[in-house]
Amino acid sequence: MSLKVESLAIPDVKLVTPPRFGDDRGFFSETYNAQRFKEAGIDADFVQDNHSLSAKRGTVRGLHYQAPPFAQAKLVRVLRGAIIDVAVDVRKGSPTYGKWVSAELSAKNGVQIYVPRGFLHGFATLEPDTEIAYKVDNYYSKECDGAVLWNDPTLAIDWGIPSAEAVLSDKDAAAPAFADFETPF
C-alpha cells in the first residue's frame, strides 16, 4: 500500500490517506514522511506541530489564517473523534476565490487534509472529546493572526452541525464578515 493523495474541487487542497497496517492488536500508520509527501506533490517544510482538544460536539474553530510573512500551510489529522474540516480559497486572482471545500476527517478513517497557504481554515467537531493534530510550515505570529466569521452567509458553508449548536470562542464569534475581509494573499 502507498500514500493516497486526492485533489478536492479546489485542486490545491488535498486529501491524504496514509496506509494502515492492522491486526487484532490495532494498527500502525506512518502519518508523515517528507520524502513520500514530496513525491506525491506536497512539498511543505513543516516546522511546528499543534494539538487541540475540543470537549463538546459542535465546537467550531475558524475560519482562521496567518497573513504573510507568517502564512501557513497545514496538514491536519484527527487523533480521536471526527470533524468537518473546511478550507476557503482567498488567493487574489484565483478562479476559486471565495469558494470552499470540506472533508470529514476522523480517527477511524485516518484521512488527513493538506491546506496550502492562501486559505482560510476551520473545523467543526462531530463528536465530543475530539483531538486534532496538525503540522504547519511557518511559525505562529500574533500580529499576523486573523479570522473571518465562520457562518458568513456569503460563504454559506455547510459545517455539518446546526448553527444554533455551535460552540465558539469569543474571537471566532466576533470575527468580521467575508465582505469586510481584505485578503493579504
Side-chain angles (χ1 to χ4, degrees):
M1 295 177 72
S2 62
L3 186 68
K4 180 180 172 185
V5 178
E6 306 167 79
S7 292
L8 292 176
I10 300 174
D12 292 336
V13 180
K14 310 218 182 272
L15 291 183
V16 179
T17 308
R20 281 187 174 180
F21 305 96
D23 58 25
D24 60 346
R25 299 169 297 159
F27 71 84
F28 170 82
S29 181
E30 182 181 82
T31 60
Y32 178 73
N33 177 305
Q35 181 179 342
R36 288 198 177 102
F37 271 65
K38 187 173 184 175
E39 290 167 358
I42 299 173
D43 191 14
D45 183 17
F46 295 114
V47 298
Q48 181 177 311
D49 284 354
N50 300 319
H51 185 162
S52 74
L53 167 69
S54 297
K56 296 181 180 180
R57 180 191 184 283
T59 298
V60 175
R61 297 182 187 263
L63 295 163
H64 300 154
Y65 67 92
Q66 283 277 290
F70 289 94
Q72 295 177 333
K74 297 178 179 179
L75 179 64
V76 181
R77 67 189 179 101
V78 175
L79 304 174
R80 179 173 47 165
I83 63 173
I84 294 293
D85 197 277
V86 175
V88 181
D89 189 350
V90 291
R91 299 170 295 175
K92 292 176 186 167
S94 171
T96 55
Y97 181 86
K99 304 293 184 201
W100 58 272
V101 291
S102 67
E104 184 171 330
L105 311 181
S106 70
K108 185 176 181 178
N109 71 20
V111 174
Q112 302 176 51
I113 192 167
Y114 172 74
V115 181
R117 295 177 181 198
F119 284 77
L120 305 175
H121 176 257
F123 62 83
T125 59
L126 302 176
E127 297 179 13
D129 297 321
T130 293
E131 289 188 69
I132 288 74
Y134 60 100
K135 297 181 170 307
V136 294
D137 73 342
N138 206 346
Y139 299 103
Y140 173 79
S141 167
K142 184 175 181 171
E143 295 74 31
C144 294
D145 187 50
V148 169
L149 189 63
W150 73 281
N151 63 347
D152 185 280
T154 303
L155 297 174
I157 295 169
D158 179 0
W159 289 93
I161 59 163
S163 290
E165 293 178 18
V167 179
L168 302 165
S169 69
D170 291 342
K171 172 188 160 186
D172 289 346
F178 187 69
D180 298 329
F181 170 68
E182 290 188 33
T183 186
F185 301 102

